[in-house]
């Protein structure tokens, strides 16, 4: 039988309620996975998690602060055949893991990603977000396949890989991925591309029946967060393109910009009286912010500024 572990990474006590919901949803999976909680350099949260789940493996991130290092710590902390990852603010459906494991029955499939459905704050709803912009809040967005199929990369809030494929590719790379509240990204995209490069013929699957409910906090339903997250996505794409090449790093994005976005803007402009004007502006702002971030990332040429805790440091990027 295939053994499986679910890794959940957390960095702040502000999400304690969400973390409990996430962990309990992983424990409820019929496959009875090993559940591993990784705390990212937050001693008080680590002590709290150890006390809450004495029956689970609760680990401290042994690598650099950030989501990539925390995920690598989780991978190192298990010898399971398959390692699934669930965000600390995402709650898995009961058949979430089963659908991903079914996709991995094919020996050529090394990774699979599920669907992430947004759970909006009741006071704001979706705010300025059209379906095409849901990637900003870590959810499945219009433009992704609606049926199961092969994709370049998965969404980080809900994914699973063969552990040996992660190790073969060298794990998640630092310099990409969220660090505290700094909204960098693309670490799962880079890993998927690297797996394909080191293991030709391997496949990454999208399985929309594998669903999680991803809570969106009120502070993320604002134009300020939309602009900031889009800007840092551009920074992340610039880093990604330096690491794996522009062709691999921007192939899906080119289709998104040329086919998905123009149709979305036209649709929203036709419904100006029903909030379409705000959503059309949000789409334009997101694209502009991403392009600016990408330009800044390319100009920096190997250094990206991040802000862990209350200090600013520079991390080298752009090399494998």
């Amino acid at each position: 039988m295939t053994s499986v572990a679910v890794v959940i990474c957390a960095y702040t006590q502000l999400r304690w309620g969400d973390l409990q919901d996430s962990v309990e949803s992983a424990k409820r999976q019929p496959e009875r996975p090993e559940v591993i909680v990784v705390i990212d350099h937050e001693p008080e949260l680590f002590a709290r998690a150890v006390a809450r789940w004495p029956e689970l493996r609760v680990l401290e991130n042994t690598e650099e602060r950030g989501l990539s290092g925390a995920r690598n710590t989780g991978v190192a902390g298990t010898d399971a055949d398959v390692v699934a990852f669930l965000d600390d603010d995402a709650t898995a459906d009961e058949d979430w893991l089963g659908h991903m494991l079914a996709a991995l029955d094919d020996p050529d499939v090394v990774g699979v990603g599920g669907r992430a459905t947004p759970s909006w704050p009741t006071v704001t709803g979706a705010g300025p977000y059209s379906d095409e912009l849901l990637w900003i809040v870590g959810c499945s967005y219009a433009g992704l396949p609606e049926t199961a199929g092969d994709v370049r990369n998965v969404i980080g809030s809900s994914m699973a890989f063969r552990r040996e494929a992660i190790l073969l590719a060298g794990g998640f790379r630092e310099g990409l991925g969220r660090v505290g509240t700094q909204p960098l990204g693309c670490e799962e995209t880079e890993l998927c591309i690297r797996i394909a490069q080191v293991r030709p013929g391997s496949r990454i699957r999208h399985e929309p029946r594998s669903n999680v409910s991803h809570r969106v906090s009120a502070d993320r339903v604002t134009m300020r967060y939309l602009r900031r997250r889009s800007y840092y996505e551009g920074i992340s794409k610039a880093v990604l393109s330096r690491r794996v090449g522009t062709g691999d790093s921007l192939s899906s994005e080119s289709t998104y910009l040329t086919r998905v976005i123009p149709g979305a803007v036209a649709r929203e402009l036709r419904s100006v009286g029903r909030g379409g004007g705000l959503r059309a502006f949000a789409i334009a702002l997101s694209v502009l912010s991403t392009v600016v971030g990408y330009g800044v990332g390319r100009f920096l040429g190997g250094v990206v500024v991040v802000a862990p805790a209350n200090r600013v440091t520079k991390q080298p990027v752009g090399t494998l």
Side-chain angles (χ1 to χ4, degrees):
M1 289 187 63
T2 299
S3 58
V4 58
V6 176
V7 174
I8 302 170
C9 303
Y11 71 94
T12 175
Q13 295 190 65
L14 295 177
R15 292 186 179 182
W16 178 246
D18 293 334
L19 176 60
Q20 292 184 85
D21 290 342
S22 178
V23 171
E24 295 306 316
S25 74
K27 291 172 60 180
R28 286 194 298 269
Q29 298 299 302
E31 294 76 16
R32 310 298 294 177
E34 175 187 17
V35 179
I36 299 173
V37 180
V38 182
I39 305 302
D40 188 17
H41 297 275
E42 219 287 30
E44 290 185 4
L45 179 58
F46 174 73
R48 194 175 187 181
V50 169
R52 174 64 177 81
W53 295 292
E55 76 282 9
L56 301 183
R57 181 170 297 180
V58 179
L59 305 174
E60 291 184 280
N61 180 9
T62 57
E63 298 192 8
E64 290 292 325
R65 184 171 182 261
L67 185 54
S68 291
R71 284 174 171 165
N72 286 337
T73 297
V75 173
T78 182
D79 57 3
D81 301 318
V82 172
V83 182
F85 298 89
L86 182 64
D87 273 8
D88 64 341
D89 54 358
T91 303
D93 288 359
E94 188 171 309
D95 57 357
W96 166 73
L97 192 56
H99 285 302
M100 289 200 288
L101 291 177
L104 288 165
D105 281 343
D106 186 327
D108 291 333
V109 175
V110 297
V112 58
R115 179 174 182 81
T117 302
S119 175
W120 299 108
T122 55
V123 293
T124 62
Y129 292 105
S130 65
D131 289 345
E132 289 77 11
L133 295 184
L134 295 185
W135 60 267
I136 295 175
V137 291
C139 293
S140 299
Y141 56 93
L144 285 178
E146 296 183 2
T147 58
D150 290 1
V151 291
R152 181 195 65 181
N153 63 274
V154 297
I155 291 179
S157 58
S158 170
M159 58 184 179
F161 295 93
R162 299 188 191 277
R163 184 172 181 271
E164 56 89 11
I166 299 176
L167 297 178
L168 181 65
F172 294 90
R173 290 294 170 86
E174 294 173 0
L176 283 169
R178 183 175 289 268
V179 180
T181 59
Q182 201 83 358
L184 294 163
C186 292
E187 74 284 355
E188 67 279 350
T189 301
E190 198 256 3
L191 176 63
C192 290
I193 293 172
R194 249 185 312 115
I195 289 175
Q197 291 174 344
V198 301
R199 185 172 167 171
S202 61
R203 296 159 56 204
I204 305 292
R205 294 283 287 179
H206 172 63
E207 177 45 85
R209 292 177 298 174
S210 176
N211 182 70
V212 302
S213 176
H214 199 179
R215 193 178 77 83
V216 182
S217 56
D219 62 299
R220 296 187 180 187
V221 192
T222 65
M223 283 293 191
R224 180 179 183 275
Y225 183 81
L226 181 148
R227 182 183 70 249
R228 185 167 179 259
R229 175 67 183 91
S230 299
Y231 172 80
Y232 277 103
E233 181 70 7
I235 292 281
S236 300
K237 293 296 184 188
V239 175
L240 181 64
S241 67
R242 292 178 61 85
R243 292 191 169 191
V244 300
T246 302
D248 284 334
S249 65
L250 298 180
S251 57
S252 297
E253 288 73 12
S254 297
T255 301
Y256 173 78
L257 284 173
T258 58
R259 298 182 184 179
V260 177
I261 288 299
V265 172
R267 181 196 67 234
E268 297 299 349
L269 289 176
R270 290 194 297 269
S271 59
V272 171
R274 300 189 299 274
L278 175 63
R279 291 189 295 271
F281 175 74
I283 294 170
L285 178 61
S286 175
V287 171
L288 177 61
S289 299
T290 303
V291 170
V292 170
Y294 183 81
V296 170
R298 297 293 290 184
F299 176 76
L300 289 175
V303 173
V304 61
V305 177
V306 300
N310 294 317
R311 65 184 187 280
V312 174
T313 63
K314 291 185 177 180
Q315 295 184 355
V317 299
T319 57
L320 289 175

